[in-house]
Amino acid sequence: MLRGEVIDDPTALAALEPHWWRLWASSRTATPFQCPAWLLAWWEAFAPGELATIAVWRDEDLAGLAPLYRERAISGSRLLPVGISLSDYLDILCLPGIEMAVAGTIADVVAKIEWSQWILPDLPADAAGLAISHPAMEASEAVNHAACPVLSIAGDDRLAGCVPSRRRRQLRRAYRAACGCGRVSVWPAQNDPRLFLDHLVRLHGARWAGYGDGVLNGPNVEEFHRHALPPLAAHGLVRCWLIAIDDQVIGAYYGFHHRQRAYAYLGGFDPDYAEVSPGAILIGHAITEALREGASEFDFLRGREAYKYSWGAVDQWTKHRIWTRGSIP
């Protein structure tokens, strides 16, 4: 037997954390963007509406979770996923083997609360959320939402088994050029989240100065990452790399690793060193390290920037679905 409840109190949502981590670790379609470290920090930083998260219980175990909130407007209220905009993948969490039952329970609870539109964007192609249906709700077709270029990786640290030869030559030239400027060092920085984010904010801002100033410039975005990164690091999910020439840090890479998949989330570099391609050196290093950790895919996440395809990545599309109020037959 499954029972569902609406969680509308942030304190109650935070109290779910230990149950949430266990569910997340078991869920077949979970990504780092659905873990409590990420989504609790998102809600703390933004809280753009009324919390309306659906928890599904089987006895004392959390069997499913749909982190949602309600956004009210004159035209009606919308249900949206906690984590929207900054998360490249979103989905409900379900214990394996009972995904359909969990989706049905979530739909039953959602159908009883007030809303006019329920929107789920950024759903992976195999998302558990795509199975949601209910006679009181009319679902749109699942349509392509965003392209996430993904590189299948294999081989050794020479990257010959996965990265095109042209890109590998460019990478070798970039590294030689960097060495021509001084002593090059690349090191992991996730054990000092504050220092890493200081460098990332500075370098990302420098990279995008005059071009919208980058994604870290939005209200509360930096605060969100400063809350999220320490628990993400404590659970072994983040991969943060810095590159320096002599004592000058010139590039930062912010990514994740979960199961057999690495994710390249954000980066920044000093534009004064653009000719030595510190961003490319860091991506090459991140792919090499992902291989060493047993990853089979390197996900560049959403966005069709040309540099991603130069590494050999191929588009994988997320889905978007909207439910509206129907009538019970």
Side-chain angles (χ1 to χ4, degrees), residues 21-45:
W21 275 115
R22 288 192 290 273
L23 173 62
W24 176 84
S26 300
S27 183
R28 179 179 55 83
T29 60
T31 72
F33 301 106
Q34 295 152 267
C35 77
W38 185 264
L39 292 182
L40 288 174
W42 189 94
W43 186 258
E44 183 177 353

Side-chain angles (χ1 to χ4, degrees), residues 13-324:
L13 184 68
L16 277 184
E17 185 172 2
H19 300 278
W20 189 343
W21 275 115
R22 288 192 290 273
L23 173 62
W24 176 84
S26 300
S27 183
R28 179 179 55 83
T29 60
T31 72
F33 301 106
Q34 295 152 267
C35 77
W38 185 264
L39 292 182
L40 288 174
W42 189 94
W43 186 258
E44 183 177 353
F46 302 107
E50 303 166 0
L51 193 63
T53 288
I54 313 301
V56 178
W57 298 90
R58 184 174 64 179
D59 296 326
E60 301 303 315
D61 296 324
L62 188 64
L65 190 70
L68 303 171
Y69 72 94
R70 183 165 43 207
E71 179 185 80
R72 294 187 184 272
I74 296 175
S75 57
S77 58
R78 302 191 302 170
L79 281 181
L80 297 167
V82 173
I84 194 170
S85 181
L86 293 182
S87 306
D88 290 68
Y89 294 110
L90 294 164
D91 194 11
I92 63 175
L93 293 174
C94 305
L95 285 179
I98 58 170
E99 287 92 346
M100 292 296 292
V102 168
T105 303
I106 289 171
D108 286 341
V109 177
V110 168
K112 295 173 183 175
I113 64 177
E114 179 194 348
W115 55 276
S116 55
Q117 228 183 23
W118 179 14
I119 301 172
L120 288 183
D122 297 300
L123 294 169
D126 61 347
L130 291 171
I132 292 172
S133 65
H134 194 277
M137 300 186 295
E138 296 177 356
S140 70
E141 291 295 321
V143 297
N144 284 346
H145 179 65
C148 295
V150 177
L151 173 67
S152 295
I153 57 177
D156 56 26
D157 57 8
R158 294 174 296 176
L159 305 183
C162 53
V163 174
S165 58
R166 180 180 180 185
R167 171 49 89 181
R168 287 185 280 117
R169 288 195 298 271
Q170 291 171 338
L171 192 58
R172 290 193 294 269
R173 286 198 296 269
Y175 191 78
R176 287 196 297 268
C179 290
C181 296
R183 177 177 52 84
V184 176
S185 54
V186 179
W187 70 95
Q190 57 262 22
N191 290 333
D192 193 342
R194 183 189 60 79
L195 179 62
F196 171 76
L197 282 169
D198 287 346
H199 285 301
L200 177 66
V201 170
R202 171 180 63 84
L203 293 164
H204 187 77
R207 164 67 179 86
W208 290 103
Y211 300 93
D213 296 324
V215 299
L216 290 175
N217 194 49
N220 299 339
V221 176
E222 182 181 339
E223 174 196 346
F224 157 67
H225 287 290
R226 291 195 181 276
H227 280 93
L229 189 54
L232 287 167
H235 283 84
L237 290 172
V238 291
R239 300 295 182 270
C240 302
W241 301 96
L242 294 172
I243 181 172
I245 294 180
D246 294 328
D247 295 324
Q248 177 68 34
V249 176
I250 64 168
Y253 168 93
Y254 179 13
F256 310 104
H257 190 114
H258 178 228
R259 295 174 178 161
Q260 284 75 52
R261 197 177 186 102
Y263 303 82
Y265 184 70
L266 195 59
F269 64 85
D270 188 332
D272 290 341
Y273 289 86
E275 291 186 359
V276 305
S277 302
I281 293 173
L282 284 171
I283 289 174
H285 184 83
I287 294 172
T288 299
E289 291 300 314
L291 270 168
R292 288 176 178 166
E293 291 192 73
S296 59
E297 292 182 309
F298 190 88
D299 192 336
F300 285 90
L301 299 175
R302 64 186 174 200
R304 307 187 79 182
E305 294 87 351
Y307 80 89
K308 299 177 180 180
Y309 303 103
S310 74
W311 290 94
V314 176
D315 284 343
Q316 293 184 9
W317 287 85
T318 59
K319 301 293 182 179
H320 179 100
R321 197 164 213 176
I322 298 175
W323 289 262
T324 54

